[in-house]
Amino acid sequence: MPQTMFDDPDGTLAMLRNSVAGFAAQSPGAKILRERRAARKDLDQSIWNGMAEAGWLGLSLPEAMGGSGLGLREQAVLSEALGRELITEPLAQLAVFAGTLVAAFPDNAEVQRLGQGIADGSLIVSPLWQGRDAGRASAVMKRSGNSLLLSGDYHFVSAPRSATEFLVVAESDEGTALASVGAKSEGVSVSLRPSVDGNQIGSITLSGVEISGERVIASGPDVDGALARAIEVTRLALAAELAGIASRALEITVGYTRNRVQFGKPIASFQAVQHRLVDMWGDAEFACAAVVNAAETAVSGKGKDATLATLAAKARAGDAAVSVARRSVHLHGAMGFTDECDIGLYLKRAINLNATLGQPEKLRLQFVALERAA
Amino acid sequence: MSTQQDWNALSDEEFRRIFRDWVEENCPKELRFMRKQRPLFDEVAVWYHNLARKGWLAPVWPQAYGGMGLNPSKHIIYVEEWARMGCPRIPDHGIGLVGPLLLQYGSEEQKQHFLPRIISGEHVWCQGYSEPNSGSDLASLKTSAVREGDEFVVNGQKIWTTLAHCANWVLLLVRTKRVEGKRQEGISVLLADLRTPGVTIRPIPNLREEADFCEVFFDNVRVPVANLVGEVDKGWTLAKSVLGHERIFLGAPARPEYALTRLEALAEATGAFEDKAFLSRYAKHRLDVYDLGSAFERFAKVLRAGGDLEADVSVLKIFNTELYQRITEEMLEIAGEDARFEDDLDAGEIQVDAMNLFLDSRAPAIFGGSNEIQRNILAKAVLNLPG
């Protein structure tokens, strides 16, 4: 079945894949998802702790922050494996996005505290930066004596209840500011909306929330740069996760259609079904190849090329995951329409991740605009 | 023929530079980016002989037989640069098909006789596989070869034989024995001189009203037994196995990449980029081309690491040929009322051969095994599906 193909001279990537498979054998993704959904929780704390112990949350954080200091190839392989196993705790947002943002400012004392907390799971750091239109929220940070006041409406927030810290992007007199806010601070209000894949997404209003100067990590163009980088790295992780979902949904469906007998034969022996499965396989192969291209281009450090490659990968993998999963549901017949059958969970998960940080159409238009701007 | 060096010892960058510089000097400008996909031998003879003199005509043949001896990763560069610089395709069945077949399965006499004549251009080859009732179902072929003394007597008909009308030799698949229930058995490979009495070649005009393929009739055509390749009756596996890493080139992005540049030129000229609906469709084509590059690289990497390609490589062929079609369909869409014209479309300074490309793009989804056959193969070989 399709899988990203990277050189793996010291076996780190194989070890990561094994570690995820072993974790899922203990805590099957679909079972955890259903339990969390039934409890209407936004995070499974024990699973999250397990992910921290496995070293996944600080995978690409510098070692000085308690991370493993690994790169984008490793992140891609980890995320792909999580997608395959349907491990749906919001690692992309709480570890990759938050981790990339803080790691951009390594000398800052608050960053050291947050980084350590992300890596060991003792802090759950959720980024607040998106507005209702999914672009940057209009939020402000104003000076008030020795402290600062934050106000604004944020949307699409992961683990809004479980978060211990919010990592907040807001406009200040010194340009875009990045600061941390204790999640239980006065003036923080949270509302929840269920996501289709059994999670809770938050909208958060900050109404003049007071923070001390030490909580301001940075301000100015560096924050804009760090935010752009966090978006890009997270898109790569999401693309990898989506490629993993596409590949696993295909694998499950191949298995199902080989066992399901009608007219005295497995339905996978019918050409109409076979050609569908082959097309799904091709889509998953292309998704994996696009993810590898994005990771390799980003590792080789070419700025614009890396941005283009990441936009392409997220678009390709998003389309592949949603459409492979949709066709998988169909090929499961009426079974596919039941909640009991796991295949529907893959579809729902793909829809969530595909909608996160840009639908394919939007990403493709961004790609073309960036390329043609030259 | 100039003395050859070990090209594989060069870095990729250096080899690419040397190849480009030489092609720039030696491939005539008027032959670059030809409208015709399959020019006749005489139309590109200058280029053919320039390559032959340099010793660069046969990229993967061993140097001992007049080739360059390139490994797959250098061969990929050779093919990429060839396409990038718009070099015309040469009649290449001798180089790409007969040569590798003889190198693998031919007798030393056959190699010594035929290989130099391919390099010199004395022998121009075509491929006699398909028959009127044996296309996708090639193993049902009926053209017969009956042994009489030191000769086979060949009777039957081949069709869709590309460039037969400019060739003088044909690589033939013939039936030498009928085995009930085992159609692949009893097929043999023969090398036949098309100037032998009893051979009739009739060009077939294609959708572009050009004749690049033919039907070839065999009426008691006598072929020396010495021209049998490999064992009699065992030709099927031999004919099937001759393409190794070259299968990757059926999926090389060059064709859709080129079509996309034509679409872009047309879109600039017609103002289509101002149209949001077009921009959305264009973005999809653009990313399809881009991602095909990534997928091609996934298989190229296997070759560079010294590995062998498996059946899964044909995913490139399917995607590539269907993408080529989508892009040319888009050209007709934005050409508007002009889409009805047979000749080229004005696009500012240049002309865009939209109709030419649209019609051309119908063929690759069929030849080399139709995309439906490719899907059948993938279903069995990759997904291991029953039935």
Side-chain angles (χ1 to χ4, degrees):
Chain A
M1 287 298 152
Q3 182 174 293
T4 59
M5 293 202 346
F6 292 100
D7 290 339
D8 186 19
D10 59 3
T12 306
L13 301 182
M15 209 179 66
L16 270 172
R17 291 188 206 278
N18 288 339
S19 125
V20 176
F23 189 94
Q26 294 295 315
S27 311
K31 173 169 170 281
I32 305 299
L33 186 157
R34 287 195 168 91
E35 287 169 4
R36 193 189 58 222
R37 181 178 67 178
R40 296 183 175 280
K41 284 188 168 172
D42 61 2
L43 192 80
D44 187 312
Q45 189 66 55
S46 72
I47 292 294
W48 193 251
N49 293 341
M51 291 167 78
E53 275 165 38
W56 301 342
L57 305 184
L59 190 80
S60 51
L61 277 172
E63 290 178 36
M65 285 185 201
S68 306
L70 295 173
L72 292 174
R73 291 189 192 98
E74 289 80 5
Q75 185 61 57
V77 166
L78 172 66
S79 294
E80 178 194 13
L82 295 174
R84 281 188 64 83
E85 299 296 350
L86 205 64
I87 296 174
T88 57
E89 306 310 321
L91 175 136
Q93 288 88 349
L94 304 182
V96 179
F97 198 109
T100 308
L101 259 186
V102 300
F105 306 98
D107 301 329
N108 181 284
E110 175 64 358
V111 158
Q112 285 296 327
R113 183 180 77 88
L114 294 174
Q116 300 280 352
I118 291 172
D120 67 18
S122 60
L123 295 178
I124 292 168
V125 181
S126 183
L128 302 191
W129 68 279
Q130 279 180 296
R132 188 70 194 91
D133 66 356
R136 290 258 290 267
S138 55
V140 291
M141 183 173 82
K142 287 200 175 358
R143 193 159 284 284
S144 164
N146 283 335
S147 55
L148 297 119
L149 300 177
L150 284 157
S151 298
D153 289 322
Y154 296 93
H155 295 271
F156 309 109
V157 178
S158 293
R161 286 262 181 249
S162 300
T164 59
E165 305 276 338
F166 293 121
L167 192 57
V168 180
V169 176
E171 287 308 310
S172 74
D173 292 340
E174 284 84 46
T176 310
L178 180 67
S180 73
V181 173
K184 307 299 170 216
S185 304
E186 202 167 319
V188 175
S189 63
V190 178
S191 65
L192 300 178
R193 234 174 128 177
S195 64
V196 68
D197 57 343
N199 211 316
Q200 300 287 326
I201 304 287
S203 290
I204 292 187
T205 300
L206 304 183
S207 314
V209 177
E210 188 175 349
I211 59 169
S212 65
E214 290 81 60
R215 278 186 172 268
V216 180
I217 294 165
S219 49
D222 287 356
V223 175
D224 296 312
L227 185 61
R229 166 123 185 106
I231 292 170
E232 193 163 308
V233 172
T234 308
R235 277 185 179 144
L236 176 56
L238 291 167
E241 199 169 339
L242 285 157
I245 291 171
S247 178
R248 181 73 183 127
L250 168 70
E251 192 175 306
I252 292 169
T253 306
V254 165
Y256 180 81
T257 53
R258 287 171 65 163
N259 287 321
R260 170 72 177 164
V261 173
Q262 289 288 275
F263 306 103
K265 288 180 186 169
I267 61 171
S269 66
F270 299 119
Q271 195 177 37
V273 173
Q274 291 188 345
H275 284 197
R276 274 184 173 236
L277 289 168
V278 167
D279 287 343
M280 289 157 66
W281 166 81
D283 289 346
E285 274 292 348
F286 268 63
C288 290
V291 167
V292 171
N293 177 60
E296 295 291 3
T297 309
V299 167
S300 70
K302 290 172 279 186
K304 185 181 158 187
D305 287 349
T307 303
L308 290 173
T310 305
L311 290 168
K314 172 71 168 55
R316 175 69 50 185
D319 266 341
V322 171
S323 76
V324 168
R326 215 169 42 212
R327 285 173 282 176
S328 294
V329 165
H330 178 78
L331 288 169
H332 278 71
M335 270 308 291
F337 195 64
T338 64
D339 181 53
E340 176 196 342
C341 184
D342 286 350
I343 198 67
L345 299 179
Y346 282 86
L347 174 58
K348 291 174 171 182
R349 181 63 175 162
I351 289 170
N352 178 355
L353 299 185
N354 188 42
T356 304
L357 299 186
Q359 294 270 0
E361 168 85 355
K362 182 178 158 189
L363 301 173
R364 284 193 295 265
L365 290 172
Q366 267 186 42
F367 179 107
V368 167
L370 179 61
E371 188 177 53
R372 294 182 65 79
Chain B
M1 195 178 301
S2 60
T3 332
Q4 292 269 342
Q5 64 184 101
D6 180 4
W7 302 110
N8 298 327
L10 298 178
S11 73
D12 285 358
E13 293 70 32
E14 198 174 354
F15 176 69
R16 197 182 287 277
R17 185 183 55 73
I18 291 173
F19 188 73
R20 281 188 75 90
D21 289 350
W22 184 84
V23 170
E24 192 56 62
E25 286 286 301
N26 291 280
C27 182
K29 290 277 181 291
E30 63 274 16
L31 295 185
R32 306 278 188 89
F33 295 104
M34 264 178 119
R35 180 190 173 92
K36 245 187 183 180
Q37 287 308 300
R38 298 305 304 247
L40 301 176
F41 188 88
D42 289 344
E43 294 169 319
V44 292
V46 177
W47 174 226
Y48 192 100
H49 291 307
N50 283 349
L51 284 161
R53 265 193 300 279
K54 179 73 175 168
W56 284 7
L57 185 59
V60 293
W61 295 12
Q63 296 195 352
Y65 291 100
M68 289 178 88
L70 298 186
N71 63 26
S73 59
K74 290 288 188 296
H75 190 201
I76 289 170
I77 295 172
Y78 179 105
V79 173
E80 278 174 356
E81 291 305 321
W82 181 296
R84 199 163 293 160
M85 303 183 75
C87 304
R89 188 158 176 188
I90 49 175
D92 50 12
H93 288 111
I95 307 295
L97 182 68
V98 179
L101 185 83
L102 291 180
L103 285 163
Q104 209 175 337
Y105 302 103
S107 67
E108 195 53 38
E109 290 74 19
Q110 287 172 336
K111 290 180 208 176
Q112 295 297 343
H113 180 78
F114 288 107
L115 297 181
R117 286 169 173 79
I118 291 172
I119 299 280
S120 71
E122 181 189 339
H123 287 181
V124 179
W125 285 85
C126 60
Q127 177 184 12
Y129 281 21
S130 292
E131 297 181 8
N133 291 311
S134 305
S136 291
D137 184 15
L138 185 60
S140 69
L141 62 91
K142 291 190 180 66
T143 295
S144 66
V146 177
R147 184 151 179 179
E148 284 183 12
D150 287 341
E151 291 176 328
F152 284 105
V153 180
V154 178
N155 280 289
Q157 182 192 349
K158 294 293 175 179
I159 197 167
W160 322 130
T161 316
T162 301
L163 295 184
H165 52 321
C166 79
N168 45 31
W169 280 79
V170 60
L171 177 73
L172 271 184
L173 281 189
V174 292
R175 185 159 298 287
T176 38
K177 195 166 80 181
R178 285 190 192 287
V179 185
E180 236 4 84
K182 289 184 181 173
R183 303 179 314 160
Q184 280 85 352
E185 269 196 50
I187 290 174
S188 302
V189 177
L190 291 182
L191 310 174
D193 189 333
L194 287 169
R195 292 156 296 192
T196 318
V199 176
T200 309
I201 299 169
R202 195 180 296 158
I204 306 170
N206 63 23
L207 273 186
R208 301 193 311 164
E209 297 171 56
E210 282 170 0
D212 63 11
F213 50 26
C214 303
E215 39 187 359
V216 185
F217 300 88
F218 296 85
D219 181 13
N220 288 317
V221 173
R222 295 188 166 267
V223 176
V225 169
N227 289 1
L228 172 75
V229 184
E231 273 184 75
V232 74
D233 299 335
K234 304 286 180 203
W236 179 256
T237 40
L238 186 144
K240 284 269 143 183
S241 69
V242 66
L243 285 184
H245 78 264
E246 290 85 352
R247 287 177 302 151
I248 196 173
F249 297 124
L250 285 170
R255 210 60 212 143
E257 266 171 13
Y258 175 72
L260 191 76
T261 66
R262 305 295 79 198
L263 173 64
E264 286 163 351
L266 194 60
E268 295 285 1
T270 58
F273 279 117
E274 309 303 316
D275 170 9
K276 281 186 174 165
F278 169 75
L279 193 61
S280 159
R281 298 196 304 272
Y282 165 77
K284 204 154 193 317
H285 304 314
R286 173 67 191 101
L287 272 289
D288 281 348
V289 168
Y290 182 89
D291 291 339
L292 176 59
S294 302
F296 182 83
E297 180 57 25
R298 173 238 179 277
F299 291 98
K301 206 155 116 183
V302 172
L303 292 175
R304 281 197 208 99
D308 291 323
L309 294 178
E310 294 176 36
D312 55 0
V313 71
S314 59
V315 70
L316 295 180
K317 195 259 183 189
I318 296 176
F319 193 92
N320 178 312
T321 55
E322 294 176 0
L323 172 57
Y324 181 29
Q325 295 186 335
R326 288 196 295 277
I327 294 172
T328 64
E329 286 153 20
E330 187 67 52
M331 286 185 205
L332 297 195
E333 174 77 35
I334 66 167
E337 299 251 345
D338 276 355
R340 74 191 73 179
F341 294 119
E342 185 180 43
D343 55 358
D344 296 350
L345 302 176
D346 285 324
E349 302 287 291
I350 59 162
Q351 302 255 301
V352 170
D353 57 338
M355 183 57 71
N356 181 47
L357 292 170
F358 170 79
L359 294 174
D360 179 61
S361 71
R362 302 303 103 189
I366 303 296
F367 64 55
S370 73
N371 288 1
E372 286 64 34
I373 292 293
Q374 303 292 342
R375 286 183 171 90
N376 286 351
I377 294 170
L378 289 165
K380 297 279 179 302
V382 177
L383 296 180
N384 200 18
L385 301 180

